[in-house]
Amino acid sequence: MSTSALVLFSGGQDSTTCLAWALARFDRVETVGFDYGQRHRAELEARPGLLAALRKLPNGDRLGDDHLLPLDTLKAIGGSALTDDMAIDMGADGLPTSFVPGRNLMFLTAAAALGYRREIADLVGGMCETDYSGYPDCRADTIQAMVSALSLGLARDIRIHTPLMWLDKAATWALAEELGGAELVKVIMADTVTCYEGNRTYAHDWGLGCGACPACELRAAGYVKYRTR
Ligand code: ZN
């Protein structure tokens, strides 16, 4: 029986690594991205180029349709540094202002609904508890609860794979190398955008970004640790 998966693919380092992980395991892999009104479009704009690059790597022929869904309810709700013009610092709730409440819950719900129509019950996402910024919707417990809720609500056995859940950023680079060798590392380096500012101007040895925001600092530190293992 042929297997298929739907990857939550934002165009960042983590979701690109997850996509390579899925391509190595499933016969057919589709991708979904979400336009939630994020201030910086760099990640979304990087998606088509990344998909084209991955198609040329091993297992690239397994890559199927790409979907882009609007979830601008999150922008309408606002109040986050990722949707509104505000600084990234610690909020009164003890979480970074980059936290978008409910984002991963909505992403997973929309992905599962799309998967229902596409007859795909295996979802793959880059949620990670190791290096996470304290976002409660990245926790393994949250994901497990979503598996239960979606399986009940859709009357299907939904599976959510989170290959990065217990990896740090250095291990995520190492996983990319293990999956796709130097070629995949090069694609991730050159084409993925992790930066909270959506900055693609400066080329660092770890890729593109402002070099100063928390996401860039995490990516840079992870890359140094990966290179010096
Ligand atoms: Zn940055």
Side-chain angles (χ1 to χ4, degrees):
M1 207 184 86
S2 112
T3 58
S4 50
L6 177 62
V7 179
L8 282 73
F9 179 61
S10 68
Q13 176 188 356
D14 290 348
S15 68
T16 304
T17 306
C18 284
L19 179 50
W21 182 91
L23 287 169
R25 277 163 185 77
F26 294 88
D27 300 319
R28 184 173 63 98
V29 177
E30 299 192 8
T31 47
V32 59
F34 300 102
D35 184 348
Y36 63 92
Q38 51 270 61
R39 286 174 58 217
H40 300 293
R41 318 293 293 173
E43 271 197 340
L44 283 183
E45 286 163 5
R47 295 174 79 259
L50 278 165
L51 290 172
L54 282 166
R55 262 180 228 288
K56 293 183 195 145
L57 295 182
N59 302 319
D61 57 332
R62 299 176 170 188
L63 198 48
D65 289 351
D66 178 45
H67 312 269
L68 189 64
L69 297 179
L71 277 181
D72 47 7
T73 304
L74 292 169
K75 167 71 178 168
I77 293 167
S80 161
L82 297 195
T83 54
D84 299 341
D85 186 11
M86 55 192 279
I88 297 177
D89 47 31
M90 207 45 88
D93 55 4
L95 291 170
T97 51
S98 52
F99 179 56
V100 180
R103 181 172 59 162
N104 280 337
L105 309 182
M106 288 180 71
F107 284 5
L108 287 167
T109 303
L114 175 65
Y116 188 93
R117 291 294 179 218
R118 309 290 300 168
E119 298 191 358
I120 301 174
D122 287 88
L123 310 179
V124 182
M127 297 82 180
C128 171
E129 193 164 325
T130 307
D131 269 346
Y132 80 151
S133 311
Y135 300 160
D137 58 346
C138 288
R139 293 180 297 190
D141 285 351
T142 304
I143 304 302
Q144 273 319 305
M146 286 302 287
V147 168
S148 301
L150 292 169
S151 296
L152 283 167
L154 295 171
R156 296 265 167 100
D157 282 333
I158 302 296
R159 290 169 293 275
I160 303 177
H161 308 268
T162 54
L164 311 184
M165 182 58 78
W166 307 110
L167 304 185
D168 64 12
K169 285 285 178 194
T172 299
W173 282 113
L175 175 62
E177 185 183 332
E178 186 188 312
L179 287 165
E183 270 305 299
L184 179 60
V185 171
K186 205 169 95 186
V187 166
I188 291 173
M189 184 80 63
D191 296 333
T192 67
V193 182
T194 305
C195 179
Y196 280 145
E197 303 297 336
N199 186 312
R200 300 180 57 120
T201 312
Y202 306 116
H204 308 269
D205 55 355
W206 44 265
L208 310 174
C210 74
C213 76
C216 280
E217 283 178 2
L218 199 58
R219 176 159 164 162
Y223 186 74
V224 168
K225 190 176 162 198
Y226 157 65
R227 277 303 182 210
T228 53
R229 283 175 312 154

